[in-house]
Coordinates of all heavy atoms in Angstrom, one line a residue:
M296 N 90.1 129.8 83.4 CA 90.9 128.8 82.8 C 92.2 128.5 83.5 O 92.6 127.4 83.8 CB 91.1 129.2 81.3 CG 91.9 128.2 80.6 SD 90.9 126.8 80.1 CE 91.9 126.0 78.9
S297 N 92.8 129.6 83.9 CA 94.1 129.5 84.6 C 93.9 128.9 86.0 O 94.8 128.2 86.5 CB 94.8 130.9 84.7 OG 95.9 130.9 85.4
D298 N 92.8 129.2 86.6 CA 92.5 128.7 87.9 C 92.4 127.2 87.9 O 92.8 126.5 88.8 CB 91.3 129.3 88.5 CG 91.5 130.8 88.9 OD1 92.7 131.2 89.1 OD2 90.5 131.5 88.9
Q299 N 91.7 126.7 86.8 CA 91.5 125.3 86.6 C 92.9 124.5 86.5 O 93.1 123.5 87.1 CB 90.6 125.0 85.4 CG 89.2 125.3 85.6 CD 88.4 125.1 84.4 OE1 88.9 125.0 83.3 NE2 87.1 125.0 84.6
I300 N 93.7 125.1 85.7 CA 95.0 124.5 85.5 C 95.8 124.5 86.8 O 96.5 123.5 87.1 CB 95.8 125.2 84.3 CG1 95.1 125.0 83.0 CG2 97.2 124.7 84.2 CD1 95.7 125.8 81.9
T301 N 95.8 125.6 87.5 CA 96.5 125.7 88.8 C 96.0 124.7 89.8 O 96.7 124.0 90.5 CB 96.4 127.1 89.3 OG1 96.8 128.1 88.4 CG2 97.2 127.3 90.6
S302 N 94.6 124.5 89.8 CA 94.1 123.6 90.8 C 94.4 122.1 90.4 O 94.6 121.3 91.2 CB 92.5 123.8 90.9 OG 91.9 123.4 89.7
M303 N 94.5 121.9 89.1 CA 94.9 120.5 88.6 C 96.3 120.2 88.9 O 96.7 119.1 89.2 CB 94.6 120.4 87.1 CG 93.2 120.2 86.7 SD 92.9 120.1 85.0 CE 94.0 118.9 84.4
L304 N 97.2 121.2 88.9 CA 98.6 121.0 89.2 C 98.9 121.0 90.7 O 99.9 120.5 91.1 CB 99.4 122.2 88.6 CG 99.5 122.1 87.0 CD1 100.3 123.3 86.5 CD2 100.2 120.9 86.5
D305 N 97.9 121.5 91.5 CA 98.1 121.5 92.9 C 98.0 120.0 93.5 O 98.6 119.7 94.5 CB 97.1 122.4 93.6 CG 97.5 123.8 93.5 OD1 98.6 124.1 93.3 OD2 96.6 124.7 93.7
V306 N 97.2 119.2 92.9 CA 97.0 117.8 93.4 C 98.2 117.0 93.4 O 98.7 116.5 94.4 CB 95.8 117.1 92.6 CG1 95.7 115.7 93.0 CG2 94.5 117.9 92.8
P307 N 99.0 116.9 92.3 CA 100.2 116.1 92.3 C 101.3 116.8 93.2 O 102.1 116.1 93.8 CB 100.7 116.0 90.9 CG 99.7 116.8 90.0 CD 98.6 117.3 90.9
R308 N 101.3 118.1 93.2 CA 102.3 118.9 94.0 C 102.0 118.6 95.5 O 103.0 118.3 96.2 CB 102.2 120.3 93.7 CG 103.3 121.1 94.3 CD 103.2 122.6 94.0 NE 103.3 122.8 92.5 CZ 102.5 123.6 91.8 NH1 101.5 124.2 92.4 NH2 102.6 123.7 90.5
D309 N 100.8 118.6 95.9 CA 100.5 118.3 97.3 C 100.8 116.9 97.7 O 101.2 116.5 98.7 CB 99.0 118.6 97.6 CG 98.7 120.1 97.6 OD1 99.6 120.9 97.8 OD2 97.5 120.5 97.5
F310 N 100.5 116.0 96.7 CA 100.8 114.5 96.9 C 102.3 114.3 97.1 O 102.7 113.6 98.0 CB 100.3 113.7 95.7 CG 100.5 112.3 95.8 CD1 99.8 111.5 96.7 CD2 101.6 111.7 95.1 CE1 100.0 110.1 96.8 CE2 101.8 110.3 95.2 CZ 101.0 109.5 96.1
M311 N 103.1 114.9 96.3 CA 104.5 114.8 96.4 C 105.0 115.4 97.7 O 105.9 114.9 98.4 CB 105.2 115.5 95.2 CG 105.1 114.7 93.9 SD 105.9 113.1 94.0 CE 107.6 113.5 94.2
K312 N 104.5 116.5 98.1 CA 104.9 117.2 99.3 C 104.5 116.3 100.5 O 105.4 116.1 101.4 CB 104.1 118.5 99.5 CG 104.5 119.3 100.7 CD 103.7 120.6 100.7 CE 103.7 121.3 102.0 NZ 102.8 122.4 102.1
D313 N 103.3 115.7 100.6 CA 103.0 114.8 101.7 C 103.9 113.6 101.7 O 104.2 113.1 102.7 CB 101.5 114.4 101.5 CG 100.6 115.6 101.8 OD1 101.0 116.6 102.4 OD2 99.4 115.5 101.4
G314 N 104.2 113.0 100.5 CA 105.0 111.9 100.4 C 106.4 112.1 101.0 O 107.0 111.3 101.7
V315 N 107.0 113.3 100.6 CA 108.3 113.6 101.1 C 108.3 113.8 102.6 O 109.2 113.4 103.3 CB 108.8 114.9 100.4 CG1 110.1 115.4 101.0 CG2 109.1 114.6 98.9
Q316 N 107.3 114.5 103.1 CA 107.1 114.6 104.6 C 107.1 113.3 105.3 O 107.7 113.1 106.3 CB 105.9 115.4 104.9 CG 106.0 116.9 104.7 CD 104.8 117.7 105.1 OE1 103.7 117.1 105.2 NE2 104.9 118.9 105.3
F317 N 106.3 112.3 104.7 CA 106.2 111.0 105.3 C 107.5 110.3 105.3 O 107.9 109.7 106.3 CB 105.1 110.2 104.5 CG 105.0 108.8 105.0 CD1 104.3 108.5 106.1 CD2 105.6 107.7 104.3 CE1 104.2 107.2 106.6 CE2 105.5 106.4 104.7 CZ 104.8 106.1 105.9
L318 N 108.2 110.3 104.2 CA 109.5 109.7 104.1 C 110.5 110.3 105.1 O 111.4 109.6 105.7 CB 110.1 109.7 102.7 CG 109.3 108.8 101.7 CD1 109.9 109.0 100.3 CD2 109.4 107.3 102.2
N319 N 110.5 111.6 105.3 CA 111.4 112.3 106.2 C 111.1 111.9 107.7 O 112.0 111.9 108.5 CB 111.4 113.8 106.0 CG 112.0 114.2 104.7 OD1 112.9 113.5 104.2 ND2 111.7 115.3 104.2
R320 N 109.8 111.7 108.0 CA 109.4 111.4 109.4 C 109.6 109.9 109.7 O 109.7 109.5 110.9 CB 108.0 111.8 109.6 CG 107.8 113.3 109.6 CD 106.4 113.7 109.9 NE 106.1 113.3 111.3 CZ 104.8 113.2 111.7 NH1 103.8 113.4 110.9 NH2 104.6 112.8 112.9
S321 N 109.6 109.0 108.7 CA 109.7 107.6 109.0 C 111.1 107.2 109.3 O 112.1 107.8 108.9 CB 109.1 106.8 107.8 OG 109.9 107.0 106.6
Q322 N 111.2 106.0 109.9 CA 112.5 105.5 110.3 C 112.5 104.0 110.1 O 111.5 103.3 110.1 CB 112.9 105.9 111.7 CG 111.9 105.3 112.7 CD 112.3 105.8 114.1 OE1 113.3 106.4 114.3 NE2 111.4 105.6 115.1
K323 N 113.7 103.4 110.0 CA 113.8 101.9 109.9 C 113.4 101.3 111.3 O 113.8 101.8 112.3 CB 115.2 101.5 109.6 CG 115.6 101.7 108.1 CD 117.0 101.4 107.8 CE 117.2 99.9 108.0 NZ 118.5 99.5 107.5
P324 N 112.8 100.1 111.3 CA 112.5 99.5 112.5 C 113.8 98.9 113.1 O 114.7 98.5 112.4 CB 111.5 98.4 112.1 CG 111.8 98.1 110.7 CD 112.2 99.4 110.1
D325 N 113.8 98.9 114.5 CA 115.0 98.2 115.1 C 114.8 96.7 115.0 O 113.8 96.2 114.6 CB 115.2 98.7 116.5 CG 113.9 98.5 117.4 OD1 112.9 98.1 116.9 OD2 114.0 98.7 118.6
R326 N 115.8 96.0 115.5 CA 115.7 94.5 115.4 C 114.5 93.9 116.1 O 113.9 93.0 115.6 CB 117.0 94.0 115.9 CG 117.1 92.5 115.7 CD 118.6 92.0 116.0 NE 118.7 90.6 115.9 CZ 118.9 89.9 114.8 NH1 118.9 90.6 113.6 NH2 119.0 88.6 114.7
K327 N 114.2 94.4 117.3 CA 113.1 93.9 118.1 C 111.8 94.1 117.4 O 111.0 93.2 117.3 CB 113.1 94.6 119.5 CG 112.0 94.0 120.4 CD 112.1 94.8 121.7 CE 111.0 94.3 122.6 NZ 111.0 95.0 123.9
E328 N 111.6 95.3 116.8 CA 110.3 95.6 116.1 C 110.2 94.7 114.8 O 109.2 94.2 114.5 CB 110.3 97.0 115.8 CG 109.0 97.5 115.2 CD 109.0 99.0 114.9 OE1 110.0 99.7 115.1 OE2 107.9 99.5 114.5
F329 N 111.4 94.5 114.1 CA 111.4 93.7 112.9 C 111.0 92.3 113.2 O 110.2 91.7 112.5 CB 112.7 93.8 112.2 CG 112.8 93.0 111.0 CD1 112.3 93.4 109.8 CD2 113.5 91.7 111.1 CE1 112.3 92.6 108.7 CE2 113.5 90.9 109.9 CZ 113.0 91.4 108.7
V330 N 111.6 91.7 114.3 CA 111.3 90.3 114.7 C 109.8 90.2 115.0 O 109.1 89.2 114.7 CB 112.2 89.9 115.8 CG1 111.7 88.6 116.4 CG2 113.6 89.8 115.3
H331 N 109.3 91.2 115.7 CA 107.9 91.2 116.1 C 107.0 91.2 114.9 O 106.0 90.4 114.8 CB 107.6 92.4 117.0 CG 106.2 92.4 117.6 ND1 105.8 91.6 118.6 CD2 105.1 93.2 117.2 CE1 104.5 91.8 118.8 NE2 104.1 92.8 118.0
I332 N 107.3 92.0 113.9 CA 106.4 92.1 112.7 C 106.6 90.8 111.9 O 105.6 90.3 111.4 CB 106.9 93.3 111.9 CG1 106.5 94.6 112.6 CG2 106.2 93.3 110.5 CD1 107.0 95.9 112.0
A333 N 107.8 90.3 111.8 CA 108.0 89.0 111.1 C 107.3 87.9 111.7 O 106.7 87.0 111.0 CB 109.5 88.7 111.0
R334 N 107.2 87.8 113.0 CA 106.5 86.7 113.7 C 105.0 86.9 113.4 O 104.3 85.9 113.1 CB 106.7 86.8 115.2 CG 107.9 86.1 115.6 CD 107.9 85.9 117.1 NE 109.2 85.5 117.6 CZ 109.9 85.9 118.6 NH1 109.3 86.8 119.4 NH2 111.0 85.5 118.9
A335 N 104.5 88.1 113.5 CA 103.1 88.3 113.2 C 102.7 87.9 111.8 O 101.7 87.2 111.5 CB 102.7 89.8 113.4
V336 N 103.5 88.2 110.8 CA 103.3 87.9 109.4 C 103.4 86.4 109.3 O 102.6 85.7 108.6 CB 104.3 88.6 108.5 CG1 104.2 88.0 107.1 CG2 104.0 90.1 108.5
G337 N 104.4 85.7 109.9 CA 104.5 84.3 109.8 C 103.3 83.5 110.4 O 102.8 82.6 109.8
V338 N 102.8 84.0 111.5 CA 101.6 83.4 112.1 C 100.4 83.6 111.2 O 99.6 82.7 111.0 CB 101.3 84.0 113.5 CG1 100.0 83.6 114.0 CG2 102.4 83.5 114.5
G339 N 100.3 84.7 110.6 CA 99.2 85.0 109.6 C 99.3 84.0 108.4 O 98.3 83.5 108.0
F340 N 100.5 83.8 107.9 CA 100.7 82.9 106.8 C 100.3 81.5 107.2 O 99.6 80.8 106.5 CB 102.1 82.9 106.3 CG 102.4 83.9 105.2 CD1 103.1 85.0 105.5 CD2 101.9 83.7 104.0 CE1 103.4 85.9 104.5 CE2 102.2 84.6 103.0 CZ 102.9 85.7 103.2
L341 N 100.7 81.1 108.4 CA 100.3 79.7 108.9 C 98.8 79.6 109.0 O 98.2 78.5 108.6 CB 101.0 79.4 110.2 CG 102.5 79.2 110.1 CD1 103.1 79.0 111.5 CD2 102.8 77.9 109.3
I342 N 98.2 80.6 109.6 CA 96.7 80.5 109.8 C 96.0 80.4 108.5 O 95.1 79.6 108.3 CB 96.2 81.7 110.7 CG1 96.7 81.5 112.1 CG2 94.7 81.8 110.6 CD1 96.4 82.7 113.0
M343 N 96.4 81.3 107.5 CA 95.7 81.3 106.2 C 96.0 80.0 105.5 O 95.1 79.5 104.8 CB 96.2 82.5 105.4 CG 95.7 83.8 105.9 SD 93.9 83.9 106.1 CE 93.4 83.9 104.4
G344 N 97.2 79.4 105.6 CA 97.5 78.2 105.0 C 96.7 77.0 105.6 O 96.2 76.2 104.8
F345 N 96.5 77.0 106.9 CA 95.7 76.0 107.5 C 94.2 76.1 107.1 O 93.6 75.1 106.8 CB 95.8 76.2 109.1 CG 95.1 75.1 109.8 CD1 95.6 73.8 109.9 CD2 93.9 75.4 110.5 CE1 94.9 72.9 110.6 CE2 93.2 74.5 111.2 CZ 93.7 73.2 111.3
V346 N 93.7 77.3 107.0 CA 92.3 77.5 106.6 C 92.2 77.1 105.2 O 91.2 76.4 104.8 CB 91.9 79.0 106.8 CG1 90.6 79.3 106.1 CG2 91.8 79.3 108.2
G347 N 93.1 77.4 104.3 CA 93.1 77.0 102.9 C 93.1 75.5 102.8 O 92.4 74.9 102.0
Y348 N 94.0 74.8 103.6 CA 94.1 73.4 103.6 C 92.8 72.7 104.0 O 92.3 71.8 103.4 CB 95.2 73.0 104.5 CG 95.5 71.5 104.5 CD1 96.1 70.9 103.4 CD2 95.1 70.7 105.5 CE1 96.3 69.5 103.3 CE2 95.4 69.3 105.5 CZ 96.0 68.7 104.4 OH 96.2 67.4 104.4
I349 N 92.2 73.2 105.1 CA 90.9 72.7 105.5 C 89.8 72.9 104.5 O 89.0 71.9 104.2 CB 90.5 73.4 106.9 CG1 91.5 73.0 108.0 CG2 89.1 73.0 107.3 CD1 91.6 71.5 108.3
V350 N 89.8 74.0 103.9 CA 88.7 74.2 102.8 C 89.0 73.3 101.6 O 88.1 72.7 101.1 CB 88.7 75.7 102.4 CG1 87.9 75.9 101.1 CG2 88.2 76.6 103.5
K351 N 90.2 73.2 101.2 CA 90.6 72.3 100.1 C 90.3 70.9 100.4 O 89.8 70.1 99.6 CB 92.1 72.5 99.7 CG 92.5 71.7 98.6 CD 92.0 72.3 97.3 CE 92.7 71.5 96.1 NZ 92.1 71.9 94.9
L352 N 90.6 70.5 101.7 CA 90.3 69.1 102.1 C 88.8 68.9 102.3 O 88.3 67.8 102.0 CB 91.0 68.9 103.4 CG 91.2 67.5 103.9 CD1 92.1 66.7 102.9 CD2 91.9 67.4 105.3
G353 N 88.1 69.9 102.7 CA 86.6 69.7 102.9 C 85.8 69.5 101.7 O 84.8 68.9 101.7
T354 N 86.3 70.1 100.6 CA 85.5 70.0 99.3 C 85.4 68.6 98.8 O 84.2 68.2 98.5 CB 86.2 70.9 98.3 OG1 86.3 72.2 98.8 CG2 85.4 70.9 97.0
P355 N 86.4 67.8 98.7 CA 86.2 66.4 98.3 C 85.4 65.6 99.2 O 84.5 64.8 98.8 CB 87.6 65.8 98.2 CG 88.5 67.0 98.1 CD 87.8 68.1 98.8
F356 N 85.5 65.8 100.5 CA 84.7 65.1 101.5 C 83.2 65.4 101.4 O 82.3 64.6 101.5 CB 85.2 65.3 102.9 CG 86.5 64.6 103.2 CD1 87.6 65.2 103.7 CD2 86.6 63.2 103.0 CE1 88.7 64.6 104.0 CE2 87.8 62.5 103.2 CZ 88.8 63.2 103.8
S357 N 82.9 66.7 101.1 CA 81.5 67.1 101.0 C 80.9 66.5 99.7 O 79.8 66.1 99.7 CB 81.4 68.6 101.0 OG 82.0 69.2 99.9
L358 N 81.7 66.4 98.6 CA 81.2 65.8 97.4 C 81.0 64.3 97.6 O 80.0 63.8 97.1 CB 82.2 66.1 96.3 CG 82.3 67.5 95.8 CD1 83.4 67.6 94.7 CD2 81.0 67.9 95.2
L359 N 81.9 63.7 98.3 CA 81.8 62.3 98.6 C 80.6 62.0 99.4 O 79.8 61.1 99.2 CB 83.0 61.7 99.3 CG 83.1 60.3 99.6 CD1 83.1 59.4 98.4 CD2 84.3 59.9 100.5
R360 N 80.3 62.9 100.4 CA 79.1 62.7 101.2 C 77.8 62.9 100.4 O 76.9 62.1 100.6 CB 79.2 63.7 102.4 CG 78.1 63.5 103.4 CD 78.2 64.5 104.5 NE 77.9 65.8 104.0 CZ 78.5 66.9 104.4 NH1 79.4 66.9 105.3 NH2 78.1 68.1 103.9
L361 N 77.8 63.8 99.5 CA 76.7 64.0 98.6 C 76.5 62.8 97.7 O 75.3 62.3 97.5 CB 76.8 65.2 97.8 CG 76.6 66.6 98.5 CD1 77.0 67.7 97.5 CD2 75.2 66.7 99.0
L362 N 77.5 62.2 97.2 CA 77.4 61.0 96.4 C 76.9 59.8 97.1 O 76.0 59.1 96.7 CB 78.8 60.7 95.7 CG 79.2 61.6 94.6 CD1 80.6 61.2 94.2 CD2 78.3 61.6 93.4
L363 N 77.4 59.7 98.4 CA 76.9 58.6 99.2 C 75.4 58.8 99.6 O 74.7 57.8 99.6 CB 77.8 58.4 100.4 CG 79.2 57.9 100.2 CD1 80.0 57.9 101.5 CD2 79.2 56.5 99.6
L364 N 75.1 60.0 99.8 CA 73.7 60.3 100.2 C 72.8 60.0 99.0 O 71.7 59.4 99.1 CB 73.5 61.7 100.6 CG 72.2 62.2 101.1 CD1 71.7 61.4 102.3 CD2 72.1 63.7 101.3
A365 N 73.2 60.4 97.8 CA 72.4 60.2 96.6 C 72.3 58.7 96.3 O 71.2 58.2 96.0 CB 73.0 60.9 95.4
R366 N 73.4 57.9 96.6 CA 73.4 56.5 96.4 C 72.4 55.8 97.3 O 71.7 54.9 97.0 CB 74.8 55.9 96.5 CG 74.9 54.5 96.2 CD 76.3 54.0 96.2 NE 76.4 52.6 96.0 CZ 77.0 51.7 96.8 NH1 77.6 52.2 97.8 NH2 77.0 50.5 96.5
S367 N 72.5 56.2 98.6 CA 71.6 55.6 99.6 C 70.1 56.0 99.3 O 69.2 55.1 99.5 CB 71.9 56.1 101.0 OG 71.7 57.5 101.1
Q368 N 69.8 57.2 98.8 CA 68.5 57.5 98.4 C 68.0 56.6 97.2 O 66.9 56.2 97.1 CB 68.4 59.0 98.0 CG 68.6 59.9 99.1 CD 67.4 59.9 100.1 OE1 66.3 59.6 99.8 NE2 67.7 60.2 101.4
Y369 N 68.9 56.4 96.3 CA 68.6 55.5 95.1 C 68.4 54.1 95.5 O 67.4 53.5 95.0 CB 69.8 55.6 94.1 CG 69.6 54.7 92.9 CD1 68.7 55.1 91.9 CD2 70.3 53.5 92.8 CE1 68.5 54.3 90.8 CE2 70.1 52.7 91.7 CZ 69.3 53.1 90.7 OH 69.1 52.3 89.6
L370 N 69.1 53.6 96.5 CA 68.9 52.2 97.0 C 67.6 52.1 97.8 O 67.1 51.0 97.8 CB 70.1 51.8 97.8 CG 71.4 51.6 97.0 CD1 72.6 51.3 98.0 CD2 71.3 50.5 96.0
L371 N 67.2 53.1 98.4 CA 66.0 53.1 99.2 C 64.7 53.0 98.3 O 63.7 52.6 98.8 CB 65.9 54.2 100.2 CG 66.9 54.2 101.4 CD1 66.8 55.4 102.2 CD2 66.7 52.9 102.2
E372 N 64.8 53.5 97.1 CA 63.6 53.6 96.3 C 63.3 52.3 95.7 O 63.8 51.3 95.6 CB 63.8 54.6 95.1 CG 63.9 56.0 95.7 CD 64.1 57.0 94.5 OE1 64.4 56.6 93.4 OE2 64.0 58.2 94.8

């Protein structure tokens, strides 16, 4: 019973220990690295926005195309 409690308490203790080690080893990015990361994120936002715009724009056009196709099929009968 005592071993189970000890093993359950080891998990959060090890997690905290690893987190503190990570924070102690990490450092703030310098200006050059920050600008590089900010540019990469900005380009990603632009690409995702463009893709979203194209998808949003494509949906009404595909519906319009289907309606026109259905209308032309109706007129041919």
Side-chain angles (χ1 to χ4, degrees):
M296 180 78 166
S297 175
D298 293 334
Q299 289 177 337
I300 294 173
T301 305
S302 66
M303 285 177 51
L304 291 176
D305 283 342
V306 173
R308 190 177 300 133
D309 290 340
F310 179 76
M311 288 297 295
K312 181 180 166 188
D313 291 341
V315 169
Q316 282 180 341
F317 176 76
L318 288 176
N319 287 335
R320 292 182 66 200
S321 62
Q322 60 184 353
K323 284 177 68 172
D325 58 352
R326 185 170 178 81
K327 183 179 177 183
E328 187 178 7
F329 178 78
V330 169
H331 184 72
I332 292 170
R334 277 191 191 140
V336 169
V338 168
F340 270 107
L341 288 174
I342 290 172
M343 291 304 291
F345 182 73
V346 168
Y348 182 73
I349 294 299
V350 168
K351 181 75 173 170
L352 195 63
T354 304
F356 286 127
S357 64
L358 290 175
L359 181 64
R360 189 176 67 216
L361 286 174
L362 289 174
L363 291 175
L364 181 65
R366 183 172 177 234
S367 66
Q368 292 291 333
Y369 177 75
L370 292 176
L371 290 175
E372 290 179 353

